[in-house]
Amino acid sequence: MKLTLEPTIDNAAGFALWVDAISDIIETAITTGEIHDTLTTHRLAWNLCAGTIGAAHASAIMREDVDLETRINDTATALSSEALSGCEHRKAY
């Protein structure tokens, strides 16, 4: 994540690598039945990475009492809750 936020690095390439790494973990979780196989779940890696970057930027700008780790945990929990609850009933493939 820190490399993705670093202005001297190709952010698009860093983000893509990060999304790919998280996608591999999510695909394994889908295959093993740990999370549901839905269209939303297949987009989870991108959304988690983007949410984390957004949380990092907002924390730096807002200077709130809530720390970055809490914001990232909140983002991950919110985004992954649907994958775990099975709210979306359509199969991705």
Side-chain angles (χ1 to χ4, degrees), residues 15-68:
F15 185 78
L17 290 172
W18 191 26
V19 170
D20 287 345
I22 301 300
S23 291
D24 290 345
I25 294 167
I26 290 171
E27 290 300 322
T28 299
I30 290 169
T31 301
T32 60
E34 294 177 57
I35 59 177
H36 297 284
D37 185 1
T38 67
L39 293 173
T40 302
T41 304
H42 286 275
R43 293 189 302 267
L44 183 58
W46 190 95
N47 290 324
L48 283 170
C49 294
T52 299
I53 291 170
H57 281 295
S59 286
I61 294 167
M62 300 299 291
R63 305 279 185 216
E64 297 177 313
D65 292 337
V66 179
D67 64 1
L68 177 58

Side-chain angles (χ1 to χ4, degrees), residues 44 48 70-84:
L44 183 58
L48 283 170
T70 300
R71 290 289 184 207
I72 291 172
N73 284 336
D74 290 349
T75 300
T77 299
L79 291 171
S80 62
S81 65
E82 184 173 327
L84 296 172

